[in-house]
Amino acid sequence: MQNTEIEKSKLHILVEIIDYVPNSVVTKTIIRKTTGKVSVIAIDTGETLSEKISPFDTFLQIIEGTAEVVIDEQSNMLNTGEGIIVPAHTSNIIKANGRLKMLSTIIKSGYEATSI
């Protein structure tokens, strides 16, 4: 599947813009800018997004199904309509409990200045 942006100024039903693929994880970019990216992700039953660490905060929202989101070894169970912010620089793993579709929003910002 091509990873191109969806059409602008047109109504989209998020759960319908991406299809499940057996034994796979599929990603469709909704919008990509230098300042961030919004994607919809479909994860088939039993699949897992491998552990990763992002330099930016990531907002995850479940739009179909349920997921276990593990952030720095702390498990969070999310259902349809629920969301969670994965803080920058933390390890995270996303496990599908059945078929799962979710929205992922990454906002790229400058590193916050630390006070001295």
Side-chain angles (χ1 to χ4, degrees):
M1 174 175 272
Q2 241 179 353
N3 196 3
T4 58
E5 289 185 17
I6 64 173
E7 186 179 342
K8 296 179 182 177
S9 299
K10 179 183 173 190
L11 175 71
H12 298 280
I13 299 172
L14 294 178
V15 296
E16 294 178 0
I17 64 172
I18 194 166
D19 294 319
Y20 293 106
V21 174
N23 305 309
S24 298
V25 175
V26 182
T27 301
K28 172 95 175 154
T29 300
I30 294 176
I31 190 166
R32 177 192 307 264
K33 301 291 180 188
T34 56
T35 53
K37 178 172 80 167
V38 179
S39 302
V40 65
I41 302 166
I43 305 174
D44 197 25
T45 303
E47 295 299 311
T48 299
L49 285 179
S50 57
E51 183 175 15
K52 66 179 178 178
I53 298 173
S54 172
F56 307 107
D57 289 342
T58 302
F59 177 68
L60 303 174
Q61 180 183 5
I62 307 305
I63 57 174
E64 183 175 87
T66 61
E68 178 183 9
V69 179
V70 181
I71 302 171
D72 274 347
E73 299 182 10
Q74 179 181 344
S75 177
N76 302 276
M77 297 303 297
L78 277 73
N79 297 302
T80 300
E82 295 179 329
I84 193 165
I85 297 173
V86 178
H89 310 290
T90 59
S91 67
N92 65 90
I93 302 169
I94 300 164
K95 301 176 184 177
N97 295 333
R99 288 182 145 189
L100 164 71
K101 290 183 182 179
M102 69 178 189
L103 193 65
S104 171
T105 305
I106 300 171
I107 304 298
K108 297 180 180 180
S109 61
Y111 295 102
E112 286 72 25
T114 56
S115 56
I116 298 178

